[in-house]
Amino acid sequence: SSVAVPLKVLIVDDQPSVVGALSVLFRLHDIPYLVAATPELALSRATGEDVGVVLQDMNFAPNETSGEEGIRLFREVRAAAPQVPVLLMTAWASLETAVRLVKEGAGDYLAKPWDDDKLVLTVKNLLRMRALQLDNDRLRRTRDDLRARHDLCGLVYESEAMHAAVLLAVSVAGSDAPVLITGPRGGGKEKLAEIVQANSRRRDRPFLRVNVGALPQELMESELFGAES
């Protein structure tokens, strides 16, 4: 399997002093980052696979304080990369706008000047959420691919651990070696055995279920393998 690329923060701000301060802060906390000084560059980089959160200012042109540029960029990023969280950084005068954008789907907002600890915590939480979302997306794609190529006997599951078990079951199905499946009662051993059989060369043969626990020990061998008269 491929190694996941560490997710980065995309800093979108046209002020070198702000970018410099954020860069130092993120380096201190081992948070990878990218920088975009213009909305155009930000939009092109926001769609990259390694961007986990966009941290954007609300104004870019000199003497611009309306926040209209930030609103436009936020909506463009949401349209181009709807799953990437956006964290807004705004002056106090634009807080009302930031609150409105949160209602439109922004991850959160912070007022300038920001609190370092709160900013780092918020960014880490958003990166963690995005990474989890990407993991779930990858699992869903591989699960769908597995279901398309193999007979899973109607099994429906979500967890990565169950996916690994099912993947192992279909992998050993082509072997002639005996397969022993162990686990607690109700863990799905019989369903895994059914999947092994359904994907083997014996898929057209009967699948026999025997409740060994109900067999007396002295009769087990003859019940399972027969007895000579």
Side-chain angles (χ1 to χ4, degrees):
S1 58
S2 59
V3 177
V5 176
L7 295 178
K8 299 176 182 178
V9 182
L10 175 59
I11 303 171
V12 187
D13 202 300
D14 65 324
Q15 299 181 45
S17 59
V18 172
V19 173
L22 290 172
S23 301
V24 170
L25 180 63
F26 290 150
R27 281 198 299 269
L28 285 173
H29 291 272
D30 296 319
I31 299 174
Y33 64 90
L34 296 168
V35 176
T38 65
E40 293 76 21
L41 184 56
L43 187 59
S44 67
R45 289 188 171 175
T47 56
E49 293 183 1
D50 58 346
V51 172
V53 58
V54 175
L55 174 61
Q56 73 155 80
D57 190 22
M58 294 299 294
N59 297 291
F60 302 98
N63 303 319
E64 179 62 55
T65 59
S66 68
E68 290 301 320
E69 291 176 312
I71 294 173
R72 185 162 55 251
L73 175 60
F74 166 75
R75 290 173 177 166
E76 289 174 343
V77 169
R78 288 283 293 171
Q83 300 302 317
V84 177
V86 178
L87 177 59
L88 307 170
M89 297 194 71
T90 178
W92 284 106
S94 301
L95 282 181
E96 185 177 342
T97 299
V99 171
R100 178 156 54 93
L101 294 186
V102 167
K103 293 179 180 178
E104 290 187 26
D108 207 342
Y109 67 90
L110 293 171
K112 290 181 177 180
W114 62 84
D115 176 273
D116 284 352
D117 291 339
K118 183 177 181 181
L119 174 57
V120 169
L121 179 62
T122 303
V123 165
K124 285 186 174 180
N125 284 340
L126 291 174
L127 286 173
R128 193 176 300 115
M129 288 170 54
R130 179 60 179 151
L132 180 61
Q133 185 181 56
L134 288 172
D135 285 343
N136 289 339
D137 289 345
R138 280 191 289 267
L139 177 59
R140 186 176 62 252
R141 286 194 299 270
T142 55
R143 189 172 60 231
D144 291 345
D145 181 59
L146 189 67
R147 184 172 287 110
R149 292 186 294 111
H150 300 279
D151 181 1
L152 302 190
C153 303
L155 179 66
V156 177
Y157 62 90
E158 288 291 336
S159 76
E160 194 163 354
M162 193 65 195
H163 180 68
V166 173
L167 189 60
L168 182 59
V170 298
S171 297
V172 302
S175 170
D176 286 329
V179 177
L180 173 64
I181 303 172
T182 63
R185 180 178 298 177
K189 297 185 296 297
E190 184 177 305
K191 177 57 69 173
L192 284 177
E194 188 179 349
I195 291 172
V196 171
Q197 197 265 354
N199 293 277
S200 72
R201 286 177 292 178
R202 299 175 178 85
R203 64 178 64 88
D204 296 326
R205 307 279 183 85
F207 179 63
L208 303 179
R209 299 167 176 81
V210 179
N211 183 3
V212 177
L215 297 178
Q217 186 170 352
E218 59 273 13
L219 298 178
M220 185 181 301
E221 186 173 334
S222 60
E223 287 289 338
L224 291 177
F225 304 110
E228 291 183 351
S229 56

